[in-house]
Amino acid sequence: VDCPGVDSTEMMNIEDTERVNTEYYETLYAHRIPMLDRVLPYVSYDQCSKGKRNIRAIEQYADTSRSNGIDVFDFGCGRGSFLLLFPQRPMKAYGLDISPSATKNLASRDWGRDRSFHVVSPEEFDNRKLLACFDVCCISHVLEHVPDDINVLEILAGSLRPGGTLVINVPINEVFEDPRHV
């Protein structure tokens, strides 16, 4: 994987990792073709397969009969596949991503009358302003990019309501070294 400005044979420091990840994901999610941005969460194999797998993992916990809805948070929401595929209605979807374009694209979508999307800022997350706010939290293929993963997991666990579910995915058996991973 080519990361401009970083020698892949050397370990990156935290600042390098944050810069490389921010540049990479901002470029990936930057708004280019509006129609494509709307379709990719549903057809992109990688995004869609992870989203569907995560939905299957929590189906047994999701109570689709809740008339007051459910609050779902996706840390590292990207194109929003997990949130867009989530079966619960009504639903308040919340997302945080290293790419401002990712959350901007999701916020500009029409989520329908029984759904809404809210951007969570890094400051809200870091300052633990989300205590016991969510029924489901998802962090999929993000922990390997985070220098302080224990802190992130503690905040996510604290943001769950009693009985809430935390979905965690990390890559396994990767065949290449990714310089964006810490």
Side-chain angles (χ1 to χ4, degrees), residues 7 14 20 22 24 28 47 49 56 67-68 71 92 106-108 110 126-127 132 136 151 169 181-182:
D7 181 355
I14 291 172
V20 166
T22 300
Y24 176 81
L28 182 66
Q47 290 282 316
S49 67
R56 281 195 305 273
S67 61
N68 62 338
D71 296 317
K92 289 182 187 169
L106 287 173
S108 71
D110 178 8
D126 291 340
N127 293 330
V136 175
N151 183 52
N169 300 127
H181 292 184
V182 292

Side-chain angles (χ1 to χ4, degrees), residues 4 7 13 16 19 21 25 57 62-63 66 74 80 82 88 90 92 94 110-112 151 153 156 173 175 180:
D7 181 355
N13 63 34
D16 285 341
R19 178 183 53 79
N21 277 303
Y25 287 103
D63 180 3
R66 289 179 54 172
D74 191 353
F82 177 71
Q88 179 72 32
K92 289 182 187 169
Y94 297 81
D110 178 8
W111 285 76
N151 183 52
L153 289 173
L156 285 171
N173 297 329
V175 294
R180 292 181 305 271

